[in-house]
Amino acid sequence: MLNRKLSAHLARSIRTERDLLFFLRKFRNKGLLESSDEEEEIIAEEFEISPKKTINERLLQLVKTDENKIKKTIEKTKIELHKSKVRNYDFKSILSEERKINWLWCYIIKNINKEIGYILYKETDTGVVTDIEITKPLKIEGIYLQEKRQSTTEEKRKQIENCLIHSNFLEHEEKLLSNHLKNEWRKNARRTEMIKWLDGCHSNQLMWAYDYIKKRYEIRYTWTPSSNEDMKSVIVAVYDLIPENTKKKFFENFRHAWNVKKSKERKKKNVVLLENA
């Protein structure tokens, strides 16, 4: 059996059943593990009940090699596992820009354990590809998504990556989730009304917009802004979280509320000038 240090190292590397199966396959291919498909299925079932005990009492007892070789294999396998998940999630696409990262960070927090729609593509007997939507709860490790003192875009990007990589999904489920996130984002990508409005507003206007947006239910899934620019990002994130079928109506109400405020201010100013005169 391996010593405690290597045992702990292996336990840190294997966080989910998906990770365990990846390590088992790699160990067996390298000739470091003497096990069958049936034994590995049993180990995976035991891991779900008691991860630490499974690694210490079952997995490590099957390993027949020197500790130095195992250490190198663990490091190499962990890197390969990480790369496989990065490919499955298509991080280059879903984490490619600031607005998308902010939205995704908030979207995951908002939808943890809630039912979301996954699109399955299926080819029929006639060769026609059809898509079928199935709903499943978003079982994801949200503990990695934490507001820091300054929630920078890069910090959110790293948190999202850790959140997805350490969540317990099988390989095909990772690809499904990646496609779901990209499909959801496409609904937002073409909506730029709020961004255009914010680009032309002054400081008081921005403060009003933030106070107005704080009335929305979605604000609870965002972060506390640390600057005026960050405040703009929060406002856009809230707008992006609003369901597609209510976005237009919300923005019309938003613009109307601002115009009413300006109209009242103009009337008040005119009254004051008249009194002074």
Side-chain angles (χ1 to χ4, degrees):
M1 185 181 291
L2 301 181
N3 62 36
R4 287 187 178 181
K5 190 173 181 180
L6 282 179
S7 176
H9 185 40
L10 189 57
R12 286 193 300 269
S13 302
I14 300 176
R15 304 289 295 276
T16 68
E17 183 181 343
R18 156 96 164 90
D19 302 345
L20 176 66
L21 292 172
F22 190 93
F23 268 80
L24 289 173
R25 287 195 299 267
K26 183 61 64 174
F27 279 13
R28 185 154 54 142
N29 291 340
K30 292 280 186 180
L32 304 178
L33 193 66
E34 296 178 1
S35 63
S36 63
D37 290 336
E38 291 76 16
E39 284 179 303
E40 290 175 10
E41 288 178 8
I42 293 172
I43 293 173
E45 290 174 1
E46 292 176 353
F47 179 83
E48 192 173 349
I49 299 171
S50 180
K52 188 175 180 180
K53 183 178 179 181
T54 302
I55 290 174
N56 287 334
E57 297 184 9
R58 291 282 290 154
L59 179 59
L60 296 182
Q61 288 177 358
L62 294 174
V63 176
K64 306 295 183 183
T65 188
D66 64 273
E67 293 179 2
N68 189 47
K69 191 173 182 180
I70 271 291
K71 185 176 181 180
K72 290 180 180 178
T73 303
I74 292 173
E75 288 297 331
K76 195 171 181 180
T77 303
K78 189 164 65 171
I79 293 171
E80 291 177 8
L81 174 61
H82 179 91
K83 287 181 178 179
S84 75
K85 291 189 175 187
V86 168
R87 286 193 298 271
N88 288 339
Y89 282 117
D90 190 12
F91 282 135
K92 286 186 179 179
S93 174
I94 62 179
L95 298 176
S96 59
E97 59 179 280
E98 181 178 355
R99 180 185 170 193
K100 192 186 297 187
I101 291 169
N102 289 336
W103 164 79
L104 183 54
W105 191 86
C106 299
Y107 178 85
I108 293 174
I109 293 176
K110 179 182 177 181
N111 290 285
I112 288 176
N113 294 325
K114 293 181 181 177
E115 296 281 334
I116 61 173
Y118 294 90
I119 302 295
L120 294 176
Y121 297 98
K122 185 177 181 181
E123 186 174 344
T124 63
D125 295 336
T126 58
V128 178
V129 177
T130 59
D131 56 271
I132 305 168
E133 183 173 288
I134 60 170
T135 57
K136 294 176 63 176
L138 183 61
K139 298 291 186 180
I140 206 165
E141 291 293 339
I143 58 172
Y144 294 96
L145 305 182
Q146 300 289 334
E147 181 178 348
K148 302 294 183 180
R149 182 168 294 180
Q150 284 192 327
S151 294
T152 62
T153 303
E154 179 59 21
E155 176 64 32
K156 292 192 194 74
R157 188 196 65 75
K158 290 179 180 177
Q159 289 187 9
I160 292 170
E161 190 170 310
N162 283 328
C163 170
L164 295 177
I165 284 176
H166 293 300
S167 293
N168 191 9
F169 292 111
L170 297 176
E171 193 166 355
H172 75 280
E173 293 174 326
E174 291 169 352
K175 294 177 181 177
L176 272 179
L177 179 57
S178 179
N179 288 334
H180 167 80
L181 297 176
K182 286 186 285 187
N183 288 335
E184 286 297 306
W185 172 250
R186 289 189 189 102
K187 299 175 184 178
N188 285 322
R190 61 181 180 272
R191 306 305 297 254
T192 59
E193 304 96 331
M194 185 61 77
I195 294 175
K196 291 177 180 177
W197 191 89
L198 290 169
D199 284 344
C201 74
H202 51 70
S203 181
N204 290 341
Q205 193 174 348
L206 179 62
M207 291 298 297
W208 172 87
Y210 183 66
D211 287 339
Y212 183 89
I213 215 96
K214 280 199 296 186
K215 300 172 186 176
R216 290 293 304 188
Y217 172 77
E218 288 80 6
I219 193 70
R220 69 182 68 186
Y221 306 115
T222 63
W223 65 98
T224 305
S226 57
S227 65
N228 281 354
E229 283 302 311
D230 202 25
M231 195 179 295
K232 287 183 180 180
S233 297
V234 172
I235 295 170
V236 173
V238 168
Y239 184 64
D240 286 341
L241 284 176
I242 293 172
E244 178 68 16
N245 59 353
T246 62
K247 266 186 169 62
K248 183 179 179 181
K249 183 64 176 175
F250 169 79
F251 189 70
E252 288 174 353
N253 293 340
F254 177 85
R255 288 290 301 272
H256 176 71
W258 172 245
N259 289 333
V260 169
K261 175 179 169 58
K262 286 196 300 182
S263 178
K264 288 181 179 179
E265 287 179 347
R266 278 196 299 269
K267 288 179 180 179
K268 185 177 180 181
K269 186 176 181 181
N270 289 338
V271 170
V272 172
L273 289 174
L274 184 60
E275 287 176 350
N276 288 342

